Amino acid sequence: MEEELELVLNKYRSAGRILSEVRGGVIELVKEGSSLLEVAEFVENGIREKGGEPAFPCNISRNDEAAHATPSIDDKAVFGNDLVKIDIGVHIDGYIGDSAVTVDLSGNSEGLVSASEAALNEAIKIIHDGISTIEIGEVIENTMREHGYKPVVNLTGHGLMRYNSHAPPTIPNVKYEHGVILKENDVVAIEPFATAGAGKVVESGNAEIYSLIKAKPVRLREAKKLLEEIKKYQGLPFAKRWLPRERLDLALRTVKNTGALREYPVLREEEKGLVSQAEHTVIVKKDGCEVTTR
Ligand code: MN
Ligand code: MN
Protein backbone atom coordinates (compact mmCIF):
# COMPACT_ATOMS: atom_id res chain seq x y z
CA MET A 1 0.00 0.00 0.00
CA GLU A 2 2.80 2.38 1.04
CA GLU A 3 4.66 1.51 -2.16
CA GLU A 4 1.60 2.15 -4.27
CA LEU A 5 1.23 5.62 -2.77
CA GLU A 6 4.86 6.45 -3.59
CA LEU A 7 4.30 5.24 -7.17
CA VAL A 8 1.32 7.56 -7.54
CA LEU A 9 3.14 10.51 -5.97
CA ASN A 10 6.07 9.93 -8.34
CA LYS A 11 3.70 10.24 -11.31
CA TYR A 12 2.49 13.58 -9.90
CA ARG A 13 6.15 14.61 -9.54
CA SER A 14 7.04 13.58 -13.11
CA ALA A 15 4.05 15.49 -14.49
CA GLY A 16 5.17 18.53 -12.49
CA ARG A 17 8.76 18.29 -13.74
CA ILE A 18 7.65 18.15 -17.38
CA LEU A 19 5.33 21.08 -16.78
CA SER A 20 8.05 23.18 -15.25
CA GLU A 21 10.44 22.52 -18.17
CA VAL A 22 7.80 23.42 -20.75
CA ARG A 23 6.73 26.52 -18.81
CA GLY A 24 10.37 27.69 -18.70
CA GLY A 25 10.59 27.44 -22.50
CA VAL A 26 7.27 29.06 -23.30
CA ILE A 27 7.90 32.27 -21.35
CA GLU A 28 10.60 33.15 -23.93
CA LEU A 29 8.11 32.69 -26.77
CA VAL A 30 5.41 35.00 -25.43
CA LYS A 31 6.39 38.24 -27.22
CA GLU A 32 4.62 41.00 -29.12
CA GLY A 33 3.88 39.73 -32.63
CA SER A 34 4.21 36.01 -31.86
CA SER A 35 1.31 33.68 -32.61
CA LEU A 36 -0.97 32.39 -29.86
CA LEU A 37 -1.57 29.17 -31.78
CA GLU A 38 2.18 28.54 -32.08
CA VAL A 39 2.64 29.12 -28.35
CA ALA A 40 -0.21 26.72 -27.47
CA GLU A 41 1.18 24.06 -29.82
CA PHE A 42 4.70 24.55 -28.44
CA VAL A 43 3.34 23.80 -24.97
CA GLU A 44 1.16 20.83 -25.94
CA ASN A 45 3.75 19.22 -28.26
CA GLY A 46 6.53 19.89 -25.76
CA ILE A 47 4.57 17.99 -23.10
CA ARG A 48 4.14 14.99 -25.43
CA GLU A 49 7.79 15.01 -26.51
CA LYS A 50 8.83 14.83 -22.86
CA GLY A 51 6.61 11.80 -22.23
CA GLY A 52 3.52 13.42 -20.72
CA GLU A 53 0.08 14.29 -22.06
CA PRO A 54 -1.69 17.65 -21.82
CA ALA A 55 -4.21 17.43 -18.95
CA PHE A 56 -6.16 20.23 -20.68
CA PRO A 57 -5.54 22.57 -23.63
CA CYS A 58 -2.93 25.27 -23.04
CA ASN A 59 -4.96 28.26 -21.81
CA ILE A 60 -3.75 31.61 -23.15
CA SER A 61 -5.93 34.28 -21.57
CA ARG A 62 -5.17 37.96 -22.19
CA ASN A 63 -5.91 41.15 -20.26
CA ASP A 64 -9.45 40.95 -18.81
CA GLU A 65 -9.76 37.29 -19.80
CA ALA A 66 -9.01 35.25 -16.70
CA ALA A 67 -9.24 31.68 -17.96
CA HIS A 68 -10.48 29.16 -20.54
CA ALA A 69 -9.22 31.00 -23.63
CA THR A 70 -7.34 28.79 -26.07
CA PRO A 71 -6.62 29.34 -29.77
CA SER A 72 -9.17 28.10 -32.30
CA ILE A 73 -8.31 26.02 -35.39
CA ASP A 74 -6.11 28.17 -37.71
CA ASP A 75 -6.22 31.04 -35.18
CA LYS A 76 -4.36 34.06 -36.60
CA ALA A 77 -4.16 36.08 -33.35
CA VAL A 78 -0.78 37.45 -32.25
CA PHE A 79 0.26 39.00 -28.95
CA GLY A 80 0.13 42.78 -28.54
CA ASN A 81 1.18 44.64 -25.41
CA ASP A 82 -0.99 42.26 -23.40
CA LEU A 83 -1.10 40.88 -19.89
CA VAL A 84 -0.86 37.17 -20.69
CA LYS A 85 -1.77 34.20 -18.51
CA ILE A 86 -0.37 30.84 -19.64
CA ASP A 87 -2.07 27.98 -17.79
CA ILE A 88 -0.60 24.52 -18.40
CA GLY A 89 -1.78 21.04 -17.42
CA VAL A 90 0.29 17.85 -17.73
CA HIS A 91 -0.70 14.31 -16.81
CA ILE A 92 1.14 11.03 -16.52
CA ASP A 93 -1.27 8.11 -16.43
CA GLY A 94 -4.00 10.52 -15.27
CA TYR A 95 -1.96 12.12 -12.45
CA ILE A 96 -1.91 15.86 -13.04
CA GLY A 97 0.30 18.87 -12.61
CA ASP A 98 -1.42 22.25 -13.05
CA SER A 99 0.48 25.54 -13.09
CA ALA A 100 0.10 29.03 -14.51
CA VAL A 101 2.25 32.08 -14.94
CA THR A 102 1.50 35.67 -15.98
CA VAL A 103 3.72 37.39 -18.56
CA ASP A 104 3.40 41.18 -18.68
CA LEU A 105 4.04 42.40 -22.23
CA SER A 106 2.55 45.80 -21.36
CA GLY A 107 5.30 46.63 -18.93
CA ASN A 108 2.91 48.40 -16.57
CA SER A 109 1.24 45.62 -14.60
CA GLU A 110 4.15 44.77 -12.35
CA GLY A 111 2.16 45.34 -9.15
CA LEU A 112 -0.76 43.27 -10.35
CA VAL A 113 1.52 40.38 -11.32
CA SER A 114 3.34 40.44 -7.98
CA ALA A 115 0.02 40.46 -6.10
CA SER A 116 -0.96 37.01 -7.37
CA GLU A 117 2.61 35.67 -7.13
CA ALA A 118 3.00 36.85 -3.53
CA ALA A 119 -0.41 35.44 -2.59
CA LEU A 120 0.57 32.07 -4.04
CA ASN A 121 3.90 32.07 -2.19
CA GLU A 122 2.30 33.00 1.13
CA ALA A 123 -0.29 30.23 0.69
CA ILE A 124 2.41 27.64 -0.09
CA LYS A 125 4.28 28.67 3.09
CA ILE A 126 1.37 27.80 5.38
CA ILE A 127 0.10 24.57 3.79
CA HIS A 128 0.57 21.40 5.86
CA ASP A 129 -1.39 18.39 7.07
CA GLY A 130 -4.37 19.63 9.08
CA ILE A 131 -4.67 23.16 7.65
CA SER A 132 -8.12 24.43 6.77
CA THR A 133 -8.85 25.89 3.33
CA ILE A 134 -10.30 28.87 5.26
CA GLU A 135 -6.78 29.82 6.37
CA ILE A 136 -5.44 29.49 2.83
CA GLY A 137 -8.18 31.73 1.43
CA GLU A 138 -7.55 34.24 4.18
CA VAL A 139 -3.80 34.51 3.54
CA ILE A 140 -4.41 34.85 -0.21
CA GLU A 141 -6.98 37.62 0.23
CA ASN A 142 -4.89 39.49 2.82
CA THR A 143 -1.71 39.33 0.72
CA MET A 144 -3.52 40.67 -2.34
CA ARG A 145 -5.13 43.50 -0.42
CA GLU A 146 -1.72 44.45 1.03
CA HIS A 147 -0.54 44.74 -2.58
CA GLY A 148 -3.52 46.97 -3.41
CA TYR A 149 -5.55 44.43 -5.39
CA LYS A 150 -8.47 42.10 -4.82
CA PRO A 151 -8.91 38.41 -5.49
CA VAL A 152 -11.33 37.13 -8.12
CA VAL A 153 -13.91 35.54 -5.82
CA ASN A 154 -15.46 33.04 -8.22
CA LEU A 155 -12.21 31.41 -9.37
CA THR A 156 -10.63 28.99 -6.93
CA GLY A 157 -7.91 26.49 -6.33
CA HIS A 158 -8.94 22.85 -6.24
CA GLY A 159 -7.99 19.28 -5.58
CA LEU A 160 -6.48 17.02 -8.21
CA MET A 161 -7.37 13.38 -8.63
CA ARG A 162 -6.66 10.80 -11.29
CA TYR A 163 -8.18 12.04 -14.57
CA ASN A 164 -9.93 14.81 -12.65
CA SER A 165 -8.43 18.26 -13.15
CA HIS A 166 -10.98 19.97 -10.89
CA ALA A 167 -11.57 17.64 -7.95
CA PRO A 168 -12.75 18.61 -4.47
CA PRO A 169 -11.97 20.45 -2.30
CA THR A 170 -12.55 23.97 -3.59
CA ILE A 171 -9.81 26.27 -2.29
CA PRO A 172 -11.20 29.81 -2.27
CA ASN A 173 -9.02 32.87 -2.83
CA VAL A 174 -10.94 34.74 -0.14
CA LYS A 175 -11.74 34.10 3.50
CA TYR A 176 -14.71 31.78 3.43
CA GLU A 177 -17.04 30.31 6.03
CA HIS A 178 -17.01 26.65 5.15
CA GLY A 179 -13.57 25.11 5.02
CA VAL A 180 -12.15 21.67 4.40
CA ILE A 181 -9.14 20.25 6.25
CA LEU A 182 -6.26 19.20 3.99
CA LYS A 183 -4.57 15.91 4.81
CA GLU A 184 -1.10 14.51 4.19
CA ASN A 185 -0.61 13.44 0.54
CA ASP A 186 -3.62 15.36 -0.74
CA VAL A 187 -2.69 16.93 -4.08
CA VAL A 188 -4.07 20.41 -4.62
CA ALA A 189 -3.63 23.34 -7.00
CA ILE A 190 -3.44 26.81 -5.49
CA GLU A 191 -4.30 29.56 -7.98
CA PRO A 192 -4.89 33.13 -6.89
CA PHE A 193 -6.22 35.56 -9.50
CA ALA A 194 -5.72 39.27 -8.77
CA THR A 195 -7.52 42.26 -10.28
CA ALA A 196 -8.34 45.91 -9.78
CA GLY A 197 -11.75 45.31 -11.39
CA ALA A 198 -14.95 44.01 -9.79
CA GLY A 199 -13.22 40.88 -8.51
CA LYS A 200 -15.57 38.57 -10.34
CA VAL A 201 -15.56 36.76 -13.70
CA VAL A 202 -18.44 36.12 -16.08
CA GLU A 203 -18.76 33.74 -19.03
CA SER A 204 -18.37 35.31 -22.45
CA GLY A 205 -18.23 34.13 -26.05
CA ASN A 206 -17.97 30.70 -27.59
CA ALA A 207 -16.16 27.80 -26.00
CA GLU A 208 -13.04 26.30 -27.59
CA ILE A 209 -12.63 23.87 -24.68
CA TYR A 210 -14.94 20.97 -23.81
CA SER A 211 -14.98 17.85 -21.68
CA LEU A 212 -17.01 14.66 -21.82
CA ILE A 213 -19.60 14.28 -19.08
CA LYS A 214 -21.21 11.07 -20.32
CA ALA A 215 -21.35 9.62 -23.83
CA LYS A 216 -24.84 9.34 -25.33
CA PRO A 217 -25.67 7.47 -28.55
CA VAL A 218 -25.44 9.40 -31.84
CA ARG A 219 -26.35 8.23 -35.36
CA LEU A 220 -24.35 10.51 -37.63
CA ARG A 221 -21.21 8.65 -38.79
CA GLU A 222 -18.84 11.60 -38.19
CA ALA A 223 -20.37 12.20 -34.76
CA LYS A 224 -19.81 8.54 -33.82
CA LYS A 225 -16.16 8.81 -34.85
CA LEU A 226 -15.82 12.10 -33.00
CA LEU A 227 -17.25 10.62 -29.82
CA GLU A 228 -14.69 7.78 -29.97
CA GLU A 229 -11.91 10.40 -30.23
CA ILE A 230 -13.34 12.38 -27.33
CA LYS A 231 -13.51 9.29 -25.10
CA LYS A 232 -9.72 9.02 -25.30
CA TYR A 233 -9.40 12.09 -23.08
CA GLN A 234 -11.07 10.15 -20.22
CA GLY A 235 -13.13 13.11 -19.07
CA LEU A 236 -10.25 15.62 -19.13
CA PRO A 237 -10.82 18.89 -21.03
CA PHE A 238 -9.83 18.98 -24.71
CA ALA A 239 -9.68 21.68 -27.42
CA LYS A 240 -11.85 21.78 -30.51
CA ARG A 241 -8.62 22.19 -32.54
CA TRP A 242 -7.42 18.75 -31.30
CA LEU A 243 -10.34 16.98 -32.99
CA PRO A 244 -10.45 15.37 -36.45
CA ARG A 245 -11.50 17.96 -39.06
CA GLU A 246 -13.98 15.81 -40.98
CA ARG A 247 -17.31 17.75 -40.88
CA LEU A 248 -16.18 18.88 -37.44
CA ASP A 249 -18.74 21.63 -36.84
CA LEU A 250 -21.67 19.36 -37.61
CA ALA A 251 -20.23 16.38 -35.73
CA LEU A 252 -19.41 18.48 -32.66
CA ARG A 253 -22.84 20.13 -32.67
CA THR A 254 -24.48 16.70 -32.90
CA VAL A 255 -22.52 15.37 -29.92
CA LYS A 256 -23.12 18.62 -27.99
CA ASN A 257 -26.87 18.40 -28.59
CA THR A 258 -27.06 15.05 -26.78
CA GLY A 259 -25.89 16.81 -23.61
CA ALA A 260 -22.71 14.72 -23.48
CA LEU A 261 -20.31 17.65 -23.22
CA ARG A 262 -19.44 20.35 -20.77
CA GLU A 263 -18.41 23.63 -22.41
CA TYR A 264 -15.84 26.05 -21.01
CA PRO A 265 -16.58 29.55 -22.31
CA VAL A 266 -13.93 32.23 -21.78
CA LEU A 267 -14.15 33.81 -18.32
CA ARG A 268 -13.77 37.60 -18.35
CA GLU A 269 -13.50 40.11 -15.55
CA GLU A 270 -16.94 41.63 -15.02
CA GLU A 271 -15.70 45.26 -15.18
CA LYS A 272 -13.06 44.45 -17.83
CA GLY A 273 -10.34 44.78 -15.19
CA LEU A 274 -6.94 43.28 -15.97
CA VAL A 275 -6.40 39.91 -14.29
CA SER A 276 -3.14 38.24 -13.20
CA GLN A 277 -2.80 34.60 -12.14
CA ALA A 278 -0.17 32.46 -10.44
CA GLU A 279 -0.59 28.73 -9.85
CA HIS A 280 1.29 25.73 -8.54
CA THR A 281 0.38 22.14 -7.68
CA VAL A 282 1.45 20.88 -4.25
CA ILE A 283 1.47 17.62 -2.31
CA VAL A 284 0.43 18.23 1.30
CA LYS A 285 3.01 16.95 3.81
CA LYS A 286 3.06 16.56 7.61
CA ASP A 287 4.96 19.78 8.24
CA GLY A 288 4.65 21.62 4.96
CA CYS A 289 4.07 20.88 1.31
CA GLU A 290 6.00 19.78 -1.75
CA VAL A 291 5.55 21.93 -4.87
CA THR A 292 5.54 19.56 -7.86
CA THR A 293 5.45 22.25 -10.57
CA ARG A 294 8.20 24.63 -9.40
MN1 MN B 1 -4.39 25.87 -14.15
MN1 MN C 1 -6.06 24.85 -11.69
Side-chain angles (χ1 to χ4, degrees):
M1 208 58 215
E2 194 70 13
E3 209 168 299
E4 198 174 309
L5 172 67
E6 225 24 59
L7 222 76
V8 164
L9 294 182
N10 281 337
K11 288 179 181 173
Y12 278 113
R13 292 178 179 119
S14 304
R17 202 170 314 119
I18 291 171
L19 196 158
S20 145
E21 286 172 24
V22 171
R23 191 187 55 221
V26 77
I27 293 172
E28 313 281 303
L29 292 183
V30 178
K31 290 198 182 92
E32 270 196 68
S34 66
S35 145
L36 274 70
L37 183 57
E38 277 176 33
V39 165
E41 288 179 341
F42 170 89
V43 166
E44 293 160 4
N45 293 334
I47 292 168
R48 296 183 187 107
E49 279 158 23
K50 291 173 193 296
E53 287 293 330
F56 49 79
C58 176
N59 282 213
I60 305 178
S61 308
R62 290 171 293 171
N63 304 321
D64 64 324
E65 296 170 347
H68 298 171
T70 201
S72 59
I73 297 171
D74 304 323
D75 204 313
K76 297 288 183 283
V78 296
F79 293 106
N81 56 351
D82 298 314
L83 185 68
V84 184
K85 279 78 62 188
I86 305 283
D87 196 335
I88 305 175
V90 177
H91 81 85
I92 304 263
D93 195 23
Y95 300 102
I96 299 168
D98 182 3
S99 170
V101 65
T102 301
V103 181
D104 178 19
L105 298 179
S106 75
N108 45 34
S109 292
E110 208 179 305
L112 180 60
V113 174
S114 12
S116 51
E117 283 175 355
L120 174 60
N121 289 333
E122 293 307 313
I124 287 171
K125 277 187 206 164
I126 65 163
I127 294 176
H128 59 84
D129 176 66
I131 195 166
S132 162
T133 54
I134 297 178
E135 295 169 74
I136 300 173
E138 188 174 18
V139 83
I140 288 173
E141 177 167 14
N142 290 345
T143 307
M144 273 192 201
R145 296 209 183 267
E146 281 160 24
H147 279 74
Y149 293 93
K150 44 181 130 155
V152 173
V153 297
N154 56 342
L155 288 173
T156 68
H158 50 86
L160 289 162
M161 285 162 76
R162 196 177 186 199
Y163 290 109
N164 186 349
S165 57
H166 259 244
T170 290
I171 303 175
N173 292 317
V174 290
K175 193 182 172 189
Y176 218 66
E177 264 180 55
H178 303 284
V180 171
I181 302 294
L182 299 185
K183 297 185 313 296
E184 188 176 9
N185 297 321
D186 282 350
V187 182
V188 296
I190 308 296
E191 52 178 317
F193 290 81
T195 186
K200 194 179 161 207
V201 290
V202 291
E203 292 185 345
S204 105
N206 290 331
E208 288 291 337
I209 303 177
Y210 301 88
S211 66
L212 180 64
I213 304 166
K214 193 177 187 340
K216 308 262 172 71
V218 281
R219 292 177 65 182
L220 182 75
R221 189 180 66 90
E222 289 84 355
K224 275 198 174 109
K225 277 177 72 179
L226 184 68
L227 197 51
E228 289 315 305
E229 281 299 315
I230 287 173
K231 281 181 186 167
K232 292 180 187 162
Y233 299 110
Q234 308 223 50
L236 288 172
F238 58 87
K240 183 178 173 188
R241 62 185 157 77
W242 291 358
L243 301 173
R245 304 287 167 95
E246 200 189 348
R247 295 176 83 189
L248 176 54
D249 283 318
L250 175 65
L252 185 59
R253 202 180 327 125
T254 306
V255 174
K256 224 162 43 174
N257 286 346
T258 67
L261 301 182
R262 176 176 170 202
E263 302 185 49
Y264 299 80
V266 174
L267 300 173
R268 279 182 189 276
E269 217 289 321
E270 196 176 33
E271 286 176 358
K272 302 200 183 332
L274 296 174
V275 177
S276 73
Q277 176 196 18
E279 179 177 25
H280 273 306
T281 297
V282 309
I283 304 172
V284 179
K285 291 292 170 195
K286 263 253 144 338
D287 302 306
C289 71
E290 177 187 337
V291 182
T292 63
T293 50
R294 193 161 260 160

